[in-house]
Amino acid sequence: PHHAASISNAEKLLLRVDDFDLVYRSIKGHMVPVVGNTWSYEEELTYMGFGDESLPAKTNIAQHSSSSTSGTTASHRPLIHESTAISTLDQSIRDLILQTVESDLKVNLPVLSTGAYGFGKQIARMAQLAHIAEVVDAANVREVDVLVDQIKNTKNDTSGQSSSKPTPSASSTTSQVPMDSTSSAAGSGTARRGYALLEKYLTMWLMGDGNEKYLAYDAQLGGILSKEGMTDINADFGNARYNDHHFHYGYVLYAAAILGRANPKFISQYGPFVDALFYDVAHNKASGGNLKADIFFPLARHKSWFDGHSFASGLFPFADGKSQESSSEAVNCYYGAYLWSKVRWGAGDRKMVD
């Protein structure tokens, strides 16, 4: 029944309930009869990005609901992204945000030995802090640029008084930044510190800290395992038995995408290491990309394309079957995978990104 909303040519293939004399119930609702032995589905992709990209005024944002069909048309409306939202804030609020990020960067630093799940959440937190600081810094710089342009375009009369009022540019906001050396707009450095910490801990975890390695490849089942669970199957939430991989590695993929976007050198140096985590949870043979991944990783380890969602359980038996457990962390995984694919392959392989 959950396929009915997305099936192509639904008006020709789907039978109405009153046209069919049998009713079958499933865990997802009443089964919907379909005419034919093959059919296809169409899913309108929602907009996803880092949140601060420059976008056309009428970016298409799909509005999904249980009653939507492939024939519906998503509404078009201006997308309010992070940069626009930040630019509307008073300067004192922006300064407070940067101060808060600065203090947060000094506590709860990632611990490499906490396992894939613990480290993943910690490094994703650090990536988010760096990203927030960068967006706020960028808004401050843009406002200073506006004020500088106003000064350059203002003509003074012989008395030293301005003969005309400066005309704010389109990107100007109501708040103004004092242009002195103490202003956060002059460059707070918070974002730079955030990215430096992010790179330090993420690269140490991917490569290992000295002789200590935190990940291993399983040649039998084709996957990246946390070494925490190599001697204890229950350690690291069962990661070594393929439990919750998309939860664990989704956080790392998000952090890697944030860092890779800000520092392309990270991609060239550590891209293959991140790719291994990407293929572990999001490999799709139909998407193209790295053909070697077909040899080392299975297709969509956690995702059930028929059910339309992921299953978290690995090799652990459950009386009620496999569990979804955390839909929010599953979505976070594929969001992180998408962002990583954008910075990794977005310039040359649109099919891989999609």
Side-chain angles (χ1 to χ4, degrees):
H2 59 296
H3 293 162
S6 302
I7 194 169
S8 305
N9 299 320
E11 65 281 357
K12 296 180 180 179
L13 298 178
L14 299 182
L15 294 178
R16 295 179 301 175
V17 176
D18 53 3
D19 290 336
F20 200 65
D21 57 358
L22 295 176
V23 176
Y24 294 92
R25 291 192 178 99
S26 73
I27 193 173
K28 298 182 184 298
H30 288 86
M31 299 292 288
V32 179
V34 180
V35 178
N37 55 11
T38 61
W39 53 86
S40 61
Y41 305 103
E42 296 179 15
E43 293 283 356
E44 186 172 9
L45 298 178
T46 58
Y47 167 75
M48 288 190 295
F50 289 90
D52 60 347
E53 298 95 331
S54 298
L55 299 169
K58 293 186 178 181
T59 299
N60 184 10
I61 307 177
Q63 304 298 310
H64 291 292
S65 67
S66 59
S67 60
S68 66
T69 65
S70 59
T72 60
T73 302
S75 60
H76 293 261
R77 68 177 187 273
L79 179 65
I80 305 300
H81 49 79
E82 293 171 357
S83 297
T84 303
I86 289 293
S87 67
T88 64
L89 297 179
D90 184 80
Q91 185 61 46
S92 63
I93 301 300
R94 294 187 222 169
D95 290 342
L96 178 60
I97 292 174
L98 288 177
Q99 292 170 13
T100 303
V101 171
E102 186 71 42
S103 63
D104 285 347
L105 287 173
K106 299 175 182 177
V107 297
N108 297 324
L109 296 178
V111 178
L112 303 179
S113 60
T114 55
Y117 190 48
F119 175 82
K121 290 191 290 184
Q122 293 166 352
I123 202 66
R125 170 185 176 273
M126 181 157 286
Q128 186 67 74
L129 290 173
H131 177 68
I132 291 172
E134 181 183 31
V135 173
V136 176
D137 276 343
N140 287 336
V141 169
R142 283 195 302 273
E143 189 153 327
V144 169
D145 289 342
V146 170
L147 294 177
V148 170
D149 289 340
Q150 290 175 354
I151 293 173
K152 291 180 177 179
N153 294 329
T154 299
K155 296 180 179 179
N156 295 327
D157 58 22
T158 57
S159 64
Q161 300 295 323
S162 175
S163 61
S164 63
K165 293 184 179 180
T167 302
S169 66
S171 60
S172 172
T173 61
T174 56
S175 60
Q176 292 189 347
V177 185
M179 291 189 300
D180 57 60
S181 60
T182 62
S183 172
S184 62
S188 69
T190 303
R192 293 195 298 273
R193 281 190 285 277
Y195 280 115
L197 288 169
L198 176 60
E199 182 176 11
K200 171 186 174 181
Y201 287 104
L202 183 54
T203 55
M204 286 173 63
W205 188 77
L206 290 172
M207 295 292 294
D209 182 13
N211 295 325
E212 182 66 27
K213 303 296 183 182
Y214 302 101
L215 301 171
Y217 176 74
D218 176 15
Q220 291 185 329
L221 296 179
I224 304 297
L225 306 181
S226 167
K227 291 189 68 176
E228 288 271 318
M230 300 299 286
T231 56
D232 179 2
I233 65 173
N234 294 310
D236 205 2
F237 299 89
N239 179 287
R241 294 298 183 271
Y242 293 94
N243 216 46
D244 301 349
H245 272 207
H246 55 329
F247 301 164
H248 300 182
Y249 300 149
Y251 289 113
V252 179
L253 290 173
Y254 170 78
I258 292 291
L259 178 57
R261 184 189 186 213
N263 180 13
K265 187 177 179 180
F266 168 79
I267 299 176
S268 62
Q269 290 183 330
Y270 299 96
F273 296 93
V274 182
D275 291 347
L277 302 178
F278 172 87
Y279 287 121
D280 183 274
V281 296
H283 176 43
N284 178 7
K285 294 181 181 180
S287 65
N290 189 352
L291 297 179
K292 293 181 180 179
D294 295 350
I295 303 173
F296 296 108
F297 299 95
L299 170 67
R301 186 185 305 281
H302 289 278
K303 180 69 176 284
S304 169
W305 297 101
F306 180 85
D307 285 293
H309 61 77
S310 296
F311 290 102
S313 305
L315 302 179
F316 294 94
F318 279 80
D320 298 329
K322 298 298 184 182
S323 66
Q324 161 72 307
E325 186 179 334
S326 177
S327 58
S328 60
E329 288 183 295
V331 170
N332 181 69
C333 168
Y334 301 123
Y335 174 59
Y338 178 72
L339 293 184
W340 173 249
S341 69
K342 287 187 71 174
V343 300
R344 182 71 161 122
W345 300 289
D349 195 340
R350 186 69 238 176
K351 184 178 180 182
M352 183 64 184
V353 176
D354 290 340

